[in-house]
Amino acid sequence: LLSGNDPDGFSDAELDRMLSEAALIDSAAAAKLIERGFSEKIGVKEIRKLTLPVSGEEIVENNLFLRASVKNDSILIPTDNARILTRLLFRNSEPVPGAVRLQNVIVTAWRVDWDCRIDLQPNRKKLLTWLLSTLPGGVPARFESNSDATFRYGRGEEYDLAAVVNYGYDPLEKLLFEFPGKPEVIQQLMPDGSWKDTGFSEKDGIFQIPVRLECAELAVFRIINLNSK
């Protein structure tokens, strides 16, 4: 993810390496990259200020309509070889690109801030998840919740690690995950540093871990022997 002023912290060689892999770039970072000559790498040649109110966003592939976000949007002017993934819709004007893709790089017309509570914007969460799923490897794992929570997931050779923090005022009575395969064992990290089997159940590819997470509480899990679905 390259967001906002992130490109300022990297050399051209570092950015070139990042853009050769799967990347998600928001409009502010894209503007920085265009200034530094990376238009042909990201599939966008110009970023314009959007002054019209957006009524919604539509996924081109399936015409799925999503409610407009509260975030400010920009207008992307894509290169000829870029693919338009979504369109921003207006009441009395023609739609404009909302997200474009060139090879393994996706640029969004809206800001993706590191501190943005995506999980509090159900429609934007759905859109962001879909965009990431179009990249090689897709989304490695997903935490299913409409509450204020943060999820981190890391892949390893022997096992994967998942971490969830509950930022909400109410406890999370159960934890629901989507993993890249079916685990043999799921273990929770205990305060003494040991790992405890949690057990789990599965329904329609969603895995439920019977762990209650209190407000401001962190839970770390070890997912062992994932078998491809």
Side-chain angles (χ1 to χ4, degrees):
L1 171 65
L2 287 174
S3 172
N5 295 323
D6 288 351
D8 292 343
F10 299 98
S11 67
D12 286 354
E14 289 172 325
L15 289 172
D16 191 64
R17 178 182 58 79
M18 291 180 187
L19 297 176
S20 66
E21 303 172 356
L24 177 69
I25 303 168
D26 73 5
S27 56
K32 295 274 185 180
L33 292 170
I34 292 170
E35 290 177 0
R36 293 174 62 172
F38 286 100
S39 290
E40 295 302 319
K41 279 273 190 176
I42 66 174
V44 178
K45 56 187 177 183
E46 186 181 352
I47 305 287
R48 296 177 184 173
K49 184 177 180 179
L50 179 62
T51 57
L52 295 174
V54 177
S55 61
E57 189 161 1
E58 179 183 60
I59 295 177
V60 174
E61 181 179 275
N62 54 20
N63 298 119
L64 177 63
F65 175 83
L66 300 171
R67 187 179 64 239
S69 169
V70 297
K71 287 290 190 181
N72 292 329
D73 299 301
S74 301
I75 296 178
L76 305 178
I77 308 300
T79 58
D80 293 338
N81 55 345
R83 174 188 168 198
I84 298 175
L85 299 177
T86 72
R87 292 186 289 249
L88 299 180
L89 305 177
F90 310 95
R91 295 189 183 279
N92 299 304
S93 185
E94 291 297 312
V96 299
V100 303
R101 176 178 173 180
L102 179 62
Q103 297 180 341
N104 297 332
V105 175
I106 292 176
V107 179
T108 68
W110 30 273
R111 289 290 302 272
V112 184
D113 298 324
W114 284 98
D115 60 350
C116 178
R117 306 258 24 104
I118 284 292
D119 42 353
L120 295 183
Q121 302 179 55
N123 288 329
R124 179 53 56 77
K125 176 182 176 181
K126 184 188 300 184
L127 176 58
L128 185 58
T129 302
W130 179 83
L131 288 173
L132 293 174
S133 72
T134 69
L135 293 173
V139 179
R142 190 166 59 88
F143 177 58
E144 185 66 34
S145 175
N146 289 326
S147 300
D148 191 0
T150 289
F151 174 55
R152 296 290 185 270
Y153 192 83
R155 303 299 303 270
E157 294 184 1
E158 298 182 2
Y159 53 81
D160 293 0
L161 288 174
V164 180
V165 181
N166 179 13
Y167 288 119
Y169 292 108
D170 299 319
L172 296 174
E173 300 291 347
K174 56 187 178 182
L175 305 181
L176 302 176
F177 298 89
E178 184 176 347
F179 295 125
K182 183 176 182 179
E184 288 189 6
V185 178
I186 298 179
Q187 299 175 328
Q188 182 179 7
L189 180 63
M190 307 308 292
D192 62 0
S194 63
W195 294 93
K196 177 183 177 182
D197 289 359
T198 63
F200 62 89
S201 59
E202 178 190 3
K203 182 179 180 180
D204 299 328
I206 301 297
F207 297 89
Q208 177 177 321
I209 299 177
V211 171
R212 177 187 170 102
L213 203 58
E214 301 290 344
C215 174
E217 187 177 8
L218 164 70
V220 177
F221 301 97
R222 183 163 64 177
I223 299 92
I224 301 174
N225 292 338
L226 283 168
N227 299 311
S228 297
K229 294 179 181 177

